[in-house]
Amino acid sequence: MHEMAIAEGILDIALSHARTHAAQRIERIHLLLGQLSGVETEALTLAFSSLVRGTMAEAAALTWTRVPLAGRCHDCGRERALRPEDYLCPYCGGGMMFTHGRELCVDYIEME
């Protein structure tokens, strides 16, 4: 389950920032999860909850925003929302480059 490794990385980032800012506890960790990130949120939540026991993030809420897939045409430069199967620009037939939808990152951490 790669969600365990992802949860470990998220917790490491949060704990590092909390130590840097002399926080006493972490209240929320918010993620940006792209449509194509491949993250199963139920598995991630389960993995995260098992890792935070005994840490300053023990009571932290893990939240996220799903980022829809979007892209820009290599030829005409137009940007638009995409589906995973959209590889060609509907305007000029050029190839599409994904600009959003593959994110997997910590957006913000609420600490006290």
Side-chain angles (χ1 to χ4, degrees):
M1 161 161 71
H2 78 287
E3 279 77 3
M4 181 61 80
I6 294 168
E8 288 173 345
I10 292 165
L11 182 58
D12 287 347
I13 290 167
L15 292 174
S16 175
H17 281 279
R19 284 190 294 271
T20 299
H21 298 285
Q24 298 303 307
R25 72 173 189 256
I26 299 169
E27 296 179 355
R28 176 183 310 276
I29 303 169
H30 187 80
L31 311 173
L32 295 177
L33 299 177
Q35 181 180 339
L36 294 181
S37 67
V39 175
E40 293 191 25
T41 54
E42 286 183 33
L44 180 62
T45 300
L46 180 64
F48 182 78
S49 66
S50 70
L51 290 171
V52 296
R53 290 186 195 125
T55 71
M56 71 172 80
E58 188 164 22
L62 184 64
T63 60
W64 53 84
T65 299
R66 284 284 186 184
V67 180
L69 192 58
R72 179 177 39 250
C73 176
H74 286 287
D75 295 335
C76 71
R78 287 190 175 139
E79 294 188 27
R80 67 183 210 99
L82 298 175
R83 297 172 305 193
E85 62 271 11
D86 291 339
Y87 293 104
L88 298 177
C89 177
Y91 305 107
C92 75
M96 297 296 291
M97 173 182 70
F98 295 141
T99 57
H100 298 290
R102 294 189 290 183
E103 293 84 351
L104 171 52
C105 61
V106 174
D107 186 31
Y108 63 85
I109 304 166
E110 293 178 5
M111 302 175 279
E112 190 173 291

